[in-house]
Amino acid sequence: MTFRILVVCSGNICRSPMAEQLLRIGLDGMDVSVGSAGTIAWVGEPMDSDARAIAERLGVTDAAAHVARRLDAASVRDADLVLALAREHRRAIVELVPGATRSTFTLREFAALAASVTDADLDHALAATDGLRDRDAVDVVLAAAVAAVAAQRGIAEPLAVPDDADVIDPFRRGAAAYEESAAQLVPAVNAVAALLRRAAGRL
């Protein structure tokens, strides 16, 4: 089965579509589906022009196709990994679907925790999937990687500043804010993609 990632911000026109598109590039060739939504989405709107320009500069070729949509419970339940762009979005996601707690992180939180995940951690998490019919399927391996990251909560060194868990919202705040937001988002996206690729490589 396809491993599904959902990325969530507020309006679904700046941060989450950029993260969605960059994750899609970073995970190209893998059986992974990436979508995005907003807690107060500008439903039906295209990607913000300033965010789109940065995304295209970073290699995104389909930014013009983005259409904003609102977060709903079904999308959260269908996702194997939910990445919020800020703590407020993570709270909204978990309030909507309390059972999604273990698979929901802020993007930067997941990236920071992923840095502490060893190959032994991945193997341990994968061993816990014994008995699953499709244990060697990519979705099972990637779900084990998410479990390995979740297991780092309370063990790995916490983020020094709580705000470091968030990617700032640049909307209508000028060019410098868009660049700062991208500078926070891009390394975190790369870390997520790297961890998932590393896990898939253990098949």
Side-chain angles (χ1 to χ4, degrees):
M1 292 176 60
T2 299
F3 183 84
R4 294 154 299 186
I5 301 173
L6 178 66
V7 190
V8 179
C9 71
S10 298
N12 193 217
I13 58 172
C14 294
R15 292 169 290 176
S16 58
M18 185 183 298
E20 170 194 359
Q21 294 154 1
L22 293 175
L23 276 170
R24 197 174 291 131
I25 291 172
L27 299 170
D28 185 47
M30 296 176 62
D31 189 12
V32 175
S33 170
V34 188
S36 65
T39 56
I40 51 171
W42 291 39
V43 177
E45 290 297 308
M47 191 171 179
D48 172 81
S49 59
D50 292 316
R52 175 181 166 182
I54 293 175
E56 290 175 343
R57 189 182 76 206
L58 293 170
V60 173
T61 59
D62 59 348
H66 177 74
V67 177
R69 67 185 181 109
R70 190 176 297 275
L71 178 71
D72 58 44
S75 297
V76 175
R77 292 191 190 99
D78 286 344
D80 299 292
L81 171 61
V82 186
L83 297 170
L85 271 294
R87 288 163 293 169
E88 65 186 279
H89 308 127
R90 184 180 60 195
R91 284 192 297 271
I93 292 159
V94 173
E95 286 172 2
L96 190 62
V97 182
T101 302
R102 284 188 60 80
S103 59
T104 300
F105 308 78
T106 73
L107 174 66
R108 296 179 78 190
E109 173 197 17
F110 188 98
L113 293 172
S116 298
V117 173
T118 66
D119 287 348
D121 293 328
L122 291 172
D123 289 341
H124 178 75
L126 186 57
T129 68
D130 279 347
L132 292 178
R133 184 179 60 187
D134 297 321
R135 184 179 181 277
D136 292 332
V138 169
D139 63 310
V140 172
V141 174
L142 298 187
V146 173
V149 172
Q152 294 297 313
R153 284 172 165 159
I155 298 174
E157 190 73 24
L159 292 167
V161 180
D163 285 351
D164 287 347
D166 301 343
V167 172
I168 67 162
D169 184 359
F171 187 55
R172 293 180 175 171
R173 292 176 58 192
Y178 281 89
E179 294 295 342
E180 181 181 358
S181 183
Q184 294 173 344
L185 184 153
V186 172
V189 165
N190 291 342
V192 173
L195 185 279
L196 295 180
R197 283 199 170 276
R198 180 156 62 96
R202 304 193 72 71
L203 275 174

